[in-house]
Amino acid sequence: MTTVALKPATMAQALGRALRDAMAEDPAVHVLGEDVGTLGGVFRITDGLAAEFGEDRCTDTPLAEAGILGTAVGMAMYGLRPVVEMQFDAFGYPALEQLFSHVAKMRNRTRGALPLPITVRVPYGGGIGGVEHHSDSSEAYYMATPGLHVVTPATVADAYGLLRASIASDDPVVFLEPKRLYWSKESWNPDGPQPVEPLGRAVVRRTGRSATLVTYGPSVPVCLEAAEAARAEGWDLEVVDLRSLVPFDDETVCASVRRTGRAVVVHESTGFGGPGGEIAARVTERCFHHLEAPVLRVAGFDIPYPPPMLERHHLPGVDRILDAVARLQWEAER
Amino acid sequence: MTTVALKPATMAQALGRALRDAMAEDPAVHVLGEDVGTLGGVFRITDGLAAEFGEDRCTDTPLAEAGILGTAVGMAMYGLRPVVEMQFDAFGYPALEQLFSHVAKMRNRTRGALPLPITVRVPYGGGIGGVEHHSDSSEAYYMATPGLHVVTPATVADAYGLLRASIASDDPVVFLEPKRLYWSKESWNPDGPQPVEPLGRAVVRRTGRSATLVTYGPSVPVCLEAAEAARAEGWDLEVVDLRSLVPFDDETVCASVRRTGRAVVVHESTGFGGPGGEIAARVTERCFHHLEAPVLRVAGFDIPYPPPMLERHHLPGVDRILDAVARLQWEAER
Amino acid sequence: MTVMEQRDAHRPVPPPAWQPRTDPAPLLPDALPHRVLGTGAAAGADPALLRRLYAELVRGRRYNAQATALTKQGRLAVYPSSTGQEACEVAAALVLEERDWLFPSYRDTLAAVARGLDPVQALTLLRGDWHTGYDPREHRVAPLSTPLATQLPHAVGLAHAARLKGDDVVALALVGDGGTSEGDFHEALNFAAVWRAPVVFLVQNNGFAISVPLARQTAAPSLAHKAVGYGMPGRLVDGNDAAAVHEVLAEAVAHARAGGGPTLVEAVTYRMDAHTNADDDRRYRESSEVEAWRAHDPILLLERELTARGLLDEDGMRAVREEAEEMAADLRERMNQDPELDPGELFAHVYAEPTPQLLEQRAQLRAELDAEADHHAPEGTAR
Amino acid sequence: MTVMEQRDAHRPVPPPAWQPRTDPAPLLPDALPHRVLGTGAAAGADPALLRRLYAELVRGRRYNAQATALTKQGRLAVYPSSTGQEACEVAAALVLEERDWLFPSYRDTLAAVARGLDPVQALTLLRGDWHTGYDPREHRVAPLSTPLATQLPHAVGLAHAARLKGDDVVALALVGDGGTSEGDFHEALNFAAVWRAPVVFLVQNNGFAISVPLARQTAAPSLAHKAVGYGMPGRLVDGNDAAAVHEVLAEAVAHARAGGGPTLVEAVTYRMDAHTNADDDRRYRESSEVEAWRAHDPILLLERELTARGLLDEDGMRAVREEAEEMAADLRERMNQDPELDPGELFAHVYAEPTPQLLEQRAQLRAELDAEADHHAPEGTAR
Ligand SMILES: Cc1ncc(C[n+]2csc(CCOP(=O)(O)OP(=O)(O)O)c2C)c(N)n1
Ligand SMILES: Cc1ncc(C[n+]2csc(CCOP(=O)(O)OP(=O)(O)O)c2C)c(N)n1
Ligand SMILES: [Mg+2]
Ligand SMILES: [Mg+2]
């Protein structure tokens, strides 16, 4: 066995490294977006790419998101593999027509002749004290659009692994980066990081017997914390990190829920119409007779994202998760 | 009791009449969109409005959906009550940024000072043999956006009543018109049609004891047909027409499901990430111990809307609904 | 500092030192559309080209008529005719080299056909058997774009990519007058100019966006005047003058190929048919207006020039017409056959590999179809 | 036929009869930005106006400095400073009548303040206690718009509505050079021109969109050249010359008010601070470039003019500075108080009436907060 040198790294660094390695390996990979060049992006994810690969490979575009994604479509049609950065979640909305009407549909439209291997990187979610429009969670929009993969990392290693796999995918991937985890540090092996293959596999982050927390992205650390706190109440919680919302890993999720008999879906996006409805519904369809209680959801409220001074009330936290776990009808416990 | 003279009318006529009556009653009501003036809209819903109220009240705009909705925002800020027509569902996508980032958020942004009484009329759904981009069902996008009402009629009377109520609402309403029902005729009282007040109430279209079909818009007639066909199999199905996806009428839906113990959600929109997940999840949360079987979903497949020659395979039809009903674990029936 | 040094010399300087970035004068279009036919200017034009254009115009007119007829027979879901606009459609196709790319809108099946595409394949979207009937890479014809102006950034991106790869490829994108109002038009032209992408934008100003006339679409002196706002040349051309359209496009394509960047061309033309077979144009225009344009018909203009110069006679015309009839007969016959469709294909191209969920759904549909077949099977037929 | 008769006379006519819709020449901007201060042209300007502009510039500069300082103390979530751009901000505010509307972007709190808004209210978004701190209808200042260029169609719609109602109201909308690349800019200008809406678009070309210089944003001769593509006049002005900006805007506002339709004004200026306090501008520009602009400082230019003409002396300057200091002290003091916030308000304004679901969620949050309070209550405190 080789010894692996683990070093502390942030998710931002791992993402940057994934872009760099992908560009070094495949000259078809091009990065484009607002301020991704000289500045290295407002989150500095693309720092150094323009210097290393030149402005033609890492390009500051004019300020127009539909234009960015639309030109990326054309570049992909010619055989390139564009990686597009949307500066913030809500600033990707001008590109939704291109995303829904072309990016998601081109392969299907052309009977497979024109696949679009485009990765759209979208920093998403709140918890960073951002003013209005800087903290949206828009994953429900992408999930409801067949033809897109929707992927989101929760750890430094996955940030690298999933981004590499997304860029390598021949399908378009909306790659959601939980912006409040950008600066979270973990031990990481920067010398031999690997893509996560295939996309579409959830992972059990913590095993437990009492109930399953199904979650992804920014809510994964919160759920792990909740699981720790739950021990004091006598609950042994399992935490499943979905990693990929599309395709959805029914197998891993259902295996867990069948084992525990109870589940809470946790995410930051609004509850109504958010990803949790789909997740709860499909888990229930598949595991009905294993369920001791309905699958519950802990999500952001059904409101526009709040201003910084109030956002802590909106975000699903440990207490709210534990409250939901408490409502899982333990009195019925045999 | 007065006698009511019922006449046959189409949904298209009822919608046109609702617009006309709203404009006649309130000079603040303005209609704008592509081809809504001289042509009367590609579906002829606005036929005659420009002639009656002048081009300033019913305006052919330049061809730019974000511009249409964006200028409607400004008109509403000045006290008008714009009714915007998107020509087809997918052609509303360029306006999604205005919809998500402004229309849905302006009241909240300004602590109630700047409500936006805008109605966005969107012909949606398939079944009309339309080529690509002409048959999308985008309700999931709107449902996931707090601040919007999402309303959709299934009958001629509701087309009138819900549209009047939507225009009268001080909140923005995405008004989804099931385009394949435009030409369906029903008996209707054209002399005294009434708004549906308040918005947000579902209605039981058919009572039954065996199971509840929860549905809306274009799928309502299909469900009613399925309910008729189900009698032959010995099932007495209840059909709930949601009419309003936001706000959601938990009360009516749950009362029905508690009574029947079984439910199938039916819609044309894709299944994964579509409205059905939310509906199934919230019904299950609220009615878990009344359920004999998981809430099932019959929806469009998780694919881009098919070309005309294949659309019949995609659309939920009577057989597919009955198949789902058959899977509601009747063997457990006491 | 490497990256910063690479940047353009245009740094922000205060007004005393301020300089316009480019000279606007050469970017502005002429006040009147450029014309060639009947002006004497065609004398320099290659007779072979003129004859080729003529044959394609006639064929194109016939193609439009045939496709419209097919809608009446229920063989096409819808057809947006380009009758009256054949000069633009044909010139756009003929001006390109094989390696170049064409980006058509929904109205431009004729341009695709004139480029060499099988008409049946070009009509797949409008027939309704699938969304695209050809391999775009094989023909270098992008899928017909229904959402207006959305194809323009695609053309820019493709042209830019080709340039980055060092390939000598030009993209030509078609859009209508109405489409110029969309944000995507603006963003595409701006990207093209900033990137100096080898792309040519051809606006077919046919006077209407469905029912909405140009006066409700723009207050600009012309659509070609939009070019200066992006820093690219704007050209105005008589869109019914096939020689003029070809000439202006050829210049723009050469300019792009030489690294000069994009051009915006506005071709002034007229849509002689209704918007589509489903439209009723009597609701928004006088037939006298349509009649007025007949005198300026693209076929007529070219026929007159060719006959006057002795490049075409009755026999020549007949030969061209006969060839067009053959094409139409072949099209009619092949379109009257029902296409073979496999509902299972609905799940095949959503992703490179169908997801487990799609495989389930495909199985579900298969089972349903099998049950249906059982149900409809003649009595006594065992399965 | 009534509606059709109402339509503009501009019907599609074939090229022999073709006419440009408007004369482009008057729509084109001058090659060099219009300047007043130091050119002798200010002689005609109202001394009271110049003094007022001066006082506001000084106050504005102080306001910018104070707001930036508040970010360091954690009292603002973020602040995009308009230091260096005060002439545009102030002139935009002063040029409007009370009944007119101002549509600011996120960078334009100063324009709102110069219009008379309480600075604390204007800063609410950036402080983070709510998204807007004032009633837009009361002040006729739209909410600060964060998504770029999206406020422009709002301004057009509002101006159009006012005109339809017969009200004598003009809307002035602010946008950055970067914002001109967005589709919404294009659509807004086009609607404005087609509708002849009484709206003025002021582009503050401050050289950068965050790190991206203008050369990466457009290849146009100037941003003002975009106007001709919409059929509206484009004007180019020295954005650091408060008198010139005021003059050009006043003309545009008068033009709009008189029914002449919209104008696009490009003000050439420079952002002296980083994009926001969170930005590091050393990554993308040389400090020497920033220094070069100091010689063209808007306060300096006006101070020089006023002193030269004897309209301002040391005492006058001191008085202006003192007043600015008072404003800053008051702002500092009030911003140092924690705002009172009710988490329950999160559910209050989503709809006219909270939905049943929102009422449930509000109750849930209340219960959580009560539990939290119980938990943290000093021992022995009964609830
Ligand atoms: C984004 C979008 N909005 C609306 C439509 C509906 N639509 C189809 S064609 C058309 C008119 C287009 O006019 P123009 O661009 O002038 O092209 P023409 O039809 O004259 O060729 C409209 C509004 C669409 N296809 N896409
Ligand atoms: C639609 C949208 N995309 C991206 C952003 C992120 N963003 C905020 S400010 C900015 C630069 C804006 O530059 P400019 O328009 O020149 O205005 P300035 O900041 O110079 O005042 C960007 C990209 C945004 N706010 N909205
Ligand atoms: Mg047209
Ligand atoms: Mg700027």
Side-chain angles (χ1 to χ4, degrees):
Chain A
M1 300 270 102
T2 52
T3 32
V4 171
L6 292 178
K7 289 188 197 154
T10 64
M11 185 181 281
Q13 288 167 330
L15 292 168
R17 173 68 186 277
L19 291 171
R20 200 215 140 268
D21 290 356
M23 291 176 83
E25 211 166 81
D26 182 355
V29 176
H30 282 240
V31 169
L32 51 163
E34 295 158 6
D35 302 290
V36 297
T38 312
L39 187 66
V42 294
F43 292 109
R44 305 289 187 271
I45 308 297
T46 58
D47 197 16
L49 299 180
E52 182 169 352
F53 298 100
E55 282 201 77
D56 287 345
R57 294 282 304 280
C58 178
T59 307
D60 280 338
T61 63
L63 216 166
E65 292 78 7
I68 297 170
L69 190 55
T71 49
V73 168
M75 290 165 76
M77 287 170 73
Y78 202 76
L80 298 185
R81 205 169 267 278
V83 182
V84 158
E85 175 173 306
M86 295 294 161
Q87 203 159 75
F88 281 84
D89 194 280
F91 304 148
Y93 298 160
L96 288 180
E97 185 191 25
Q98 285 289 343
L99 192 71
F100 295 164
S101 289
H102 290 301
V103 175
K105 297 190 170 84
M106 192 65 89
R107 173 191 285 276
N108 185 67
R109 174 177 304 149
T110 58
R111 289 185 144 134
L114 219 54
L116 294 181
I118 298 175
T119 303
V120 186
R121 293 180 41 240
V122 185
Y124 82 120
I128 61 157
V131 302
E132 209 196 354
H133 301 290
H134 286 81
S135 299
D136 280 16
S137 291
S138 55
E139 52 270 37
Y141 303 146
Y142 312 122
M143 281 175 72
T145 309
L148 302 176
H149 287 292
V150 184
V151 171
T152 182
T155 67
V156 169
D158 271 4
Y160 182 92
L162 291 170
L163 183 50
R164 286 299 305 272
S166 297
I167 296 172
S169 166
D170 284 338
D171 287 319
V173 178
V174 177
F175 189 85
L176 298 164
E177 302 177 356
K179 60 176 95 79
R180 70 177 143 121
L181 299 186
Y182 272 149
W183 306 284
S184 67
K185 270 209 170 82
E186 284 168 43
S187 298
W188 187 52
N189 171 16
D191 297 320
Q194 294 296 327
V196 172
E197 304 274 22
L199 286 173
R201 289 284 163 81
V203 65
V204 176
R205 289 275 171 225
R206 182 190 198 281
T207 54
R209 287 165 305 102
S210 321
T212 305
L213 302 180
V214 183
T215 190
Y216 58 87
S219 297
V220 171
V222 186
C223 284
L224 289 170
E225 208 187 312
E228 277 310 302
R231 290 169 56 181
E233 319 273 337
W235 294 312
D236 178 21
L237 302 183
E238 179 143 319
V239 177
V240 176
D241 173 1
L242 292 171
R243 307 205 291 191
S244 162
L245 294 168
V246 184
F248 190 88
D249 186 352
D250 284 312
E251 214 180 295
T252 303
V253 175
C254 290
S256 170
V257 175
R258 288 201 189 102
R259 218 159 38 228
T260 62
R262 290 179 170 84
V264 178
V265 185
V266 181
H267 60 62
E268 209 180 295
S269 167
T270 49
F272 189 88
E278 177 61 43
I279 298 169
R282 58 194 306 114
V283 167
T284 307
E285 282 161 11
R286 286 162 178 73
C287 312
F288 188 66
H289 292 292
H290 296 82
L291 286 175
E292 306 290 339
V295 177
L296 296 183
R297 293 180 282 166
V298 177
F301 294 123
D302 300 334
I303 59 174
Y305 198 89
M309 288 188 186
L310 291 169
E311 68 178 336
R312 71 179 184 90
H313 300 295
H314 178 69
L315 294 171
V318 168
D319 287 350
R320 206 169 282 160
I321 295 169
L322 294 184
D323 282 354
V325 172
R327 281 184 288 117
L328 288 174
Q329 311 188 356
W330 300 97
E331 54 293 356
E333 191 73 312
R334 276 145 290 187
Chain B
M1 300 272 102
T2 53
T3 32
V4 171
L6 292 177
K7 290 187 198 154
T10 64
M11 186 180 280
Q13 287 168 331
L15 292 168
R17 173 68 186 277
L19 290 171
R20 200 214 141 268
D21 289 357
M23 291 177 84
E25 210 167 81
D26 182 354
V29 176
H30 282 239
V31 168
L32 49 164
E34 293 156 8
D35 303 288
V36 296
T38 311
L39 187 65
V42 294
F43 293 108
R44 303 292 186 269
I45 309 297
T46 59
D47 197 15
L49 299 179
E52 182 170 351
F53 299 100
E55 282 201 79
D56 287 346
R57 293 283 301 284
C58 180
T59 308
D60 279 340
T61 63
L63 217 165
E65 292 78 8
I68 298 170
L69 190 55
T71 50
V73 168
M75 292 166 76
M77 287 171 74
Y78 203 74
L80 298 185
R81 205 169 267 279
V83 182
V84 159
E85 175 173 306
M86 295 293 161
Q87 202 159 76
F88 282 84
D89 194 278
F91 305 148
Y93 299 159
L96 288 180
E97 183 190 25
Q98 285 289 343
L99 191 72
F100 295 165
S101 289
H102 290 300
V103 175
K105 295 191 170 84
M106 191 66 89
R107 174 191 283 276
N108 184 66
R109 174 179 305 150
T110 59
R111 289 185 144 134
L114 219 54
L116 294 182
I118 299 175
T119 303
V120 186
R121 293 180 41 241
V122 185
Y124 80 120
I128 60 158
V131 302
E132 207 198 355
H133 301 290
H134 286 81
S135 300
D136 279 18
S137 291
S138 56
E139 52 269 37
Y141 303 146
Y142 311 123
M143 283 176 72
T145 308
L148 303 175
H149 287 293
V150 184
V151 171
T152 182
T155 67
V156 171
D158 271 3
Y160 182 92
L162 291 170
L163 182 52
R164 285 301 305 273
S166 297
I167 296 172
S169 166
D170 285 339
D171 287 318
V173 178
V174 177
F175 189 84
L176 297 165
E177 304 177 355
K179 61 175 94 80
R180 69 177 143 124
L181 299 185
Y182 272 148
W183 307 284
S184 67
K185 269 208 172 81
E186 285 168 43
S187 298
W188 187 52
N189 171 16
D191 297 321
Q194 295 294 330
V196 171
E197 304 275 23
L199 287 173
R201 289 286 163 80
V203 65
V204 177
R205 290 273 170 227
R206 183 190 198 283
T207 54
R209 289 166 302 104
S210 321
T212 305
L213 302 181
V214 183
T215 189
Y216 58 88
S219 298
V220 171
V222 187
C223 284
L224 288 170
E225 207 187 311
E228 278 311 303
R231 288 167 57 181
E233 319 273 337
W235 295 313
D236 178 21
L237 301 183
E238 181 144 317
V239 177
V240 176
D241 172 2
L242 292 171
R243 306 204 294 190
S244 163
L245 294 168
V246 186
F248 190 88
D249 187 353
D250 285 311
E251 216 179 293
T252 304
V253 175
C254 289
S256 170
V257 176
R258 286 200 190 102
R259 223 160 33 231
T260 61
R262 291 180 171 83
V264 178
V265 186
V266 181
H267 61 63
E268 209 180 295
S269 165
T270 48
F272 189 89
E278 176 61 43
I279 299 169
R282 57 194 306 117
V283 167
T284 307
E285 281 162 12
R286 285 160 178 76
C287 313
F288 188 65
H289 292 291
H290 297 81
L291 287 175
E292 307 290 339
V295 177
L296 296 184
R297 294 180 281 166
V298 176
F301 295 122
D302 301 334
I303 59 174
Y305 198 89
M309 289 188 185
L310 291 169
E311 67 178 337
R312 71 180 185 90
H313 300 294
H314 178 68
L315 294 170
V318 168
D319 287 348
R320 205 170 284 161
I321 295 169
L322 294 183
D323 281 354
V325 172
R327 280 184 286 118
L328 288 173
Q329 310 187 353
W330 301 95
E331 54 293 357
E333 191 75 308
R334 275 149 287 189
Chain C
M1 298 298 289
T2 349
V3 176
M4 287 175 65
E5 279 163 20
Q6 284 167 15
R7 305 212 139 207
D8 294 3
H10 293 282
R11 304 296 307 181
V13 285
W18 197 91
Q19 285 297 331
R21 303 196 52 244
T22 34
D23 178 8
L27 307 181
L28 289 166
D30 294 335
L32 288 180
H34 179 62
R35 300 179 61 204
V36 166
L37 299 177
T39 66
D46 173 13
L49 173 67
L50 294 181
R51 274 198 290 246
R52 174 85 198 281
L53 284 168
Y54 177 75
E56 292 292 347
L57 288 187
V58 173
R59 215 168 89 103
R61 176 71 47 90
R62 189 64 193 88
Y63 165 84
N64 274 321
Q66 185 55 61
T68 299
L70 285 165
T71 64
K72 302 205 175 95
Q73 292 142 29
R75 284 295 176 182
L76 283 178
V78 66
Y79 186 68
S81 163
S82 57
T83 295
Q85 305 178 216
E86 292 91 347
C88 297
E89 298 284 319
V90 161
L94 298 197
V95 79
L96 296 179
E97 301 289 334
E98 248 193 75
R99 62 186 178 282
D100 296 333
W101 273 73
L102 180 75
F103 284 79
S105 84
Y106 52 89
R107 196 177 296 290
D108 307 310
T109 50
L110 173 55
V113 169
R115 230 202 147 191
L117 229 76
D118 175 356
V120 174
Q121 287 188 1
L123 287 170
T124 297
L125 170 75
L126 305 169
R127 181 188 212 181
D129 45 325
W130 201 264
H131 308 296
T132 301
Y134 50 92
D135 178 346
R137 284 207 176 121
E138 187 188 330
H139 300 280
R140 287 154 316 280
V141 176
L144 304 171
S145 180
T146 301
L148 293 163
T150 55
Q151 71 277 21
L152 305 182
H154 304 174
V156 176
L158 183 135
H160 179 61
R163 182 157 160 263
L164 290 181
K165 283 200 176 180
D167 294 348
D168 177 28
V169 166
V170 171
L172 193 159
L174 301 171
V175 67
D177 48 308
T180 66
S181 295
E182 291 281 6
D184 276 22
F185 170 87
H186 176 71
E187 301 189 8
L189 268 74
N190 190 42
F191 273 67
V194 169
W195 288 350
R196 283 182 96 80
V199 56
V200 176
F201 303 98
L202 172 60
V203 180
Q204 291 188 56
N205 171 7
N206 63 3
F208 290 92
I210 308 187
S211 71
V212 181
L214 191 68
R216 289 280 180 288
Q217 204 64 248
T218 183
S222 79
L223 294 168
H225 277 87
K226 292 184 183 287
V228 66
Y230 305 102
M232 69 174 78
R235 301 294 310 270
L236 192 58
V237 63
D238 180 345
N240 288 14
D241 180 334
V245 179
H246 191 277
E247 186 182 306
V248 168
L249 288 180
E251 274 173 36
V253 166
H255 185 69
R257 213 184 292 286
T263 301
L264 172 65
V265 178
E266 174 187 354
V268 181
T269 178
Y270 195 78
R271 195 192 73 212
M272 299 301 285
D273 288 344
H275 171 65
T276 67
N277 54 296
D279 178 40
D280 177 6
D281 61 339
R282 290 165 308 177
R283 293 179 77 103
Y284 54 81
R285 65 181 181 186
E286 306 282 357
S287 60
S288 60
E289 183 179 295
V290 183
E291 287 314 310
W293 277 83
R294 291 208 195 282
H296 201 67
D297 184 276
I299 299 184
L300 198 71
L301 296 185
L302 188 49
E303 207 167 81
R304 222 182 266 149
E305 177 88 29
L306 287 172
T307 345
R309 287 173 54 198
L311 296 169
L312 185 73
D313 58 13
E314 267 304 322
D315 282 355
M317 286 188 222
R318 190 172 326 108
V320 164
R321 277 199 299 269
E322 274 168 19
E323 201 215 327
E325 283 307 324
E326 270 165 42
M327 176 275 303
D330 176 67
L331 176 58
R332 199 165 49 231
E333 193 192 307
R334 289 165 61 213
M335 292 293 284
N336 275 326
Q337 283 149 28
D338 288 326
E340 292 226 5
L341 290 171
D342 168 15
E345 199 184 344
L346 288 174
F347 309 93
H349 314 297
V350 187
Y351 300 101
E353 295 293 330
T355 61
Q357 291 81 10
L358 286 173
L359 293 176
E360 273 172 36
Q361 293 171 26
R362 190 176 64 187
Q364 182 197 339
L365 178 58
R366 287 243 167 93
E368 288 176 9
L369 293 172
D370 286 351
E372 213 180 289
D374 276 355
H375 194 73
H376 292 113
E379 269 171 77
T381 312
R383 277 186 53 88
Chain D
M1 299 299 288
T2 348
V3 176
M4 286 176 64
E5 278 163 21
Q6 285 168 15
R7 304 213 140 204
D8 294 4
H10 293 282
R11 304 296 308 181
V13 284
W18 197 91
Q19 286 295 334
R21 305 196 53 245
T22 35
D23 177 9
L27 307 181
L28 290 166
D30 295 336
L32 288 180
H34 179 62
R35 299 179 63 203
V36 166
L37 299 177
T39 66
D46 173 14
L49 173 67
L50 294 181
R51 275 197 290 245
R52 175 82 201 283
L53 284 169
Y54 178 75
E56 290 293 346
L57 289 186
V58 172
R59 216 169 88 101
R61 175 72 47 92
R62 188 66 192 84
Y63 165 84
N64 273 321
Q66 184 57 60
T68 300
L70 284 164
T71 62
K72 301 207 175 94
Q73 291 142 30
R75 285 296 178 181
L76 284 178
V78 66
Y79 186 68
S81 164
S82 58
T83 294
Q85 304 176 219
E86 291 92 347
C88 296
E89 298 282 320
V90 161
L94 298 196
V95 80
L96 295 179
E97 300 292 332
E98 245 191 78
R99 61 187 179 285
D100 295 333
W101 273 74
L102 181 75
F103 284 79
S105 83
Y106 53 89
R107 194 178 297 290
D108 307 311
T109 52
L110 174 54
V113 169
R115 226 198 151 192
L117 229 76
D118 176 355
V120 173
Q121 287 188 0
L123 288 170
T124 298
L125 170 75
L126 304 169
R127 184 188 212 180
D129 44 329
W130 201 264
H131 308 295
T132 301
Y134 51 91
D135 179 345
R137 283 207 176 120
E138 189 187 329
H139 299 281
R140 290 157 309 284
V141 177
L144 305 171
S145 180
T146 301
L148 293 164
T150 55
Q151 71 277 20
L152 305 182
H154 304 173
V156 175
L158 184 134
H160 179 60
R163 180 156 163 265
L164 291 181
K165 283 200 176 180
D167 294 349
D168 177 28
V169 165
V170 171
L172 193 158
L174 301 172
V175 67
D177 48 309
T180 65
S181 296
E182 291 280 5
D184 275 22
F185 170 87
H186 175 69
E187 301 189 8
L189 267 73
N190 191 41
F191 273 66
V194 170
W195 287 350
R196 285 182 92 81
V199 56
V200 177
F201 302 98
L202 173 58
V203 180
Q204 292 189 55
N205 171 6
N206 64 4
F208 290 92
I210 308 185
S211 71
V212 181
L214 190 69
R216 288 283 180 287
Q217 205 63 248
T218 183
S222 79
L223 295 168
H225 276 87
K226 293 183 183 286
V228 67
Y230 305 101
M232 69 174 79
R235 302 294 309 272
L236 191 59
V237 62
D238 180 345
N240 287 13
D241 179 333
V245 179
H246 191 276
E247 187 182 304
V248 168
L249 288 179
E251 274 172 35
V253 166
H255 185 70
R257 213 184 290 290
T263 301
L264 172 65
V265 179
E266 175 188 352
V268 181
T269 178
Y270 195 77
R271 195 192 74 212
M272 298 300 285
D273 288 343
H275 171 64
T276 68
N277 54 296
D279 177 40
D280 177 5
D281 61 341
R282 289 166 307 178
R283 292 179 78 102
Y284 54 82
R285 65 181 180 185
E286 305 282 357
S287 60
S288 59
E289 182 179 294
V290 184
E291 286 315 310
W293 277 84
R294 288 205 197 283
H296 202 66
D297 185 277
I299 300 184
L300 197 72
L301 296 185
L302 188 49
E303 208 167 80
R304 223 182 263 149
E305 176 87 28
L306 286 172
T307 344
R309 286 173 55 197
L311 296 170
L312 185 74
D313 58 12
E314 265 305 322
D315 282 355
M317 286 191 223
R318 193 174 322 109
V320 165
R321 276 199 301 268
E322 273 167 19
E323 203 216 327
E325 282 307 326
E326 269 165 43
M327 177 276 302
D330 175 65
L331 176 59
R332 199 165 49 230
E333 194 191 306
R334 290 164 63 214
M335 292 293 285
N336 276 326
Q337 284 149 28
D338 288 327
E340 292 226 4
L341 290 172
D342 168 17
E345 200 183 343
L346 287 174
F347 308 92
H349 314 297
V350 186
Y351 300 101
E353 296 292 330
T355 60
Q357 290 80 10
L358 286 174
L359 293 175
E360 272 172 35
Q361 293 171 25
R362 189 177 65 188
Q364 182 197 338
L365 178 58
R366 284 244 167 92
E368 286 176 10
L369 293 171
D370 286 349
E372 212 180 290
D374 276 356
H375 193 74
H376 292 113
E379 270 171 76
T381 312
R383 279 184 54 89

